[in-house]
Amino acid sequence: NAGVTQTPKFQVLKTGQSMTLQCAQDMNHNSMYWYRQDPGMGLRLIYYSASEGTTDKGEVPNGYNVSRLNKREFSLRLESAAPSQTSVYFCASTVGGPYGYTFGSGTRLTVV
Amino acid sequence: GQQLNQSPQSMFIQEGEDVSMNCTSSSIFNTWLWYKQDPGEGPVLLIALYKAGELTSNGRLTAQFGITRKDSFLNISASIPSDVGIYFCAGPTGGTSYGKLTFGQGTILTVHP
């Protein structure tokens, strides 16, 4: 029972490069989320998908795009990476509502 | 938007000591959640509080939902080395149907054996 799987675990990008962070859950959850974690700032919501076929902006969406590929998968894309996007990115899912979040183990991204 | 302020930002304690941390908000929350993040992992839910004044325990952990609904407290008794990690408070924002959470900045706990 894998829960929420994120790939890759680590990534180094050069400024201006693009990449996609992958997230998949095997719990048949309806809602999925992308957060970023920066020191001293907690976790901040980037984008979320309340249900398959819908996506919405969170608190810090600039510089990111998302795709809810199907019920299981929710990807985060950086089109032109910037040093300010150096962070740890977490994907999470819930069956619905804010209770019972399951987080992935994170992707540590460094943009140089 | 809603903000949650946690204190202290970090704590260095000896094994066996009790720990207290709190979380405050300028806005009312109807639910308070406490998460723990182990190094290199995602946060895991410790305790959920749903009613003002509620006091809930989970083993050595006890959390309280403040009467004003603008604060919450987490206590850890008789700390052990595996309590090391970052503790976050969180609350739902934008209506519970969307499942969005606002997190505090976190309290980093270090336990010396």
Side-chain angles (χ1 to χ4, degrees):
Chain A
N1 190 3
V4 177
T5 303
Q6 291 185 238
T7 55
K9 291 191 180 301
F10 302 93
Q11 184 71 48
V12 179
L13 290 178
K14 293 182 179 179
T15 298
Q17 287 185 319
S18 62
M19 80 162 294
T20 300
L21 282 63
Q22 306 287 352
C23 175
Q25 52 91 9
D26 61 2
M27 298 169 287
N28 202 34
H29 283 172
N30 294 316
S31 304
M32 298 185 73
Y33 310 84
W34 277 104
Y35 286 86
R36 60 178 288 174
Q37 181 179 17
D38 301 294
M41 301 189 72
L43 284 84
R44 293 179 294 168
L45 183 64
I46 305 171
Y47 269 93
Y48 67 101
S49 172
S51 61
E52 186 179 358
T54 69
T55 60
D56 281 292
K57 296 178 180 179
E59 181 185 354
V60 288
N62 291 344
Y64 306 95
N65 283 302
V66 290
S67 295
R68 184 75 183 265
L69 304 170
N70 47 54
K71 191 171 186 179
R72 290 186 64 249
E73 299 172 284
F74 188 39
S75 62
L76 178 71
R77 182 160 179 83
L78 287 71
E79 290 291 352
S80 179
S84 61
Q85 294 178 304
T86 293
S87 188
V88 182
Y89 291 85
F90 287 99
C91 178
S93 69
T94 73
V95 63
Y99 319 111
Y101 263 44
T102 299
F103 281 90
S105 57
T107 294
R108 186 174 293 275
L109 176 67
T110 301
V111 182
V112 298
Chain B
Q2 293 172 304
Q3 287 188 317
L4 297 179
N5 296 305
Q6 280 187 252
S7 64
Q9 291 186 348
S10 61
M11 304 180 73
F12 298 84
I13 63 170
Q14 293 292 131
E15 183 177 358
E17 290 183 355
D18 296 342
V19 173
S20 292
M21 59 189 78
N22 66 38
C23 190
T24 60
S25 171
S26 58
S27 308
I28 287 174
F29 279 85
N30 292 316
T31 299
W32 285 91
L33 307 169
W34 284 94
Y35 284 84
K36 182 195 178 194
Q37 183 181 27
D38 289 328
E41 298 294 331
V44 173
L45 182 66
L46 297 174
I47 291 178
L49 302 160
Y50 302 104
K51 193 166 59 174
E54 180 180 357
L55 187 71
T56 297
S57 294
N58 179 6
R60 293 179 295 105
L61 277 62
T62 301
Q64 183 161 22
F65 192 142
I67 292 292
T68 64
R69 294 195 284 161
K70 291 184 177 182
D71 56 8
S72 180
F73 307 87
L74 177 69
N75 296 313
I76 305 173
S77 63
S79 59
I80 59 178
S82 62
D83 290 334
V84 164
I86 306 176
Y87 291 80
F88 292 101
C89 61
T93 55
T96 57
S97 60
Y98 297 107
K100 298 183 292 181
L101 292 177
T102 293
F103 285 83
Q105 307 98 315
T107 294
I108 302 171
L109 179 63
T110 303
V111 180
H112 295 287

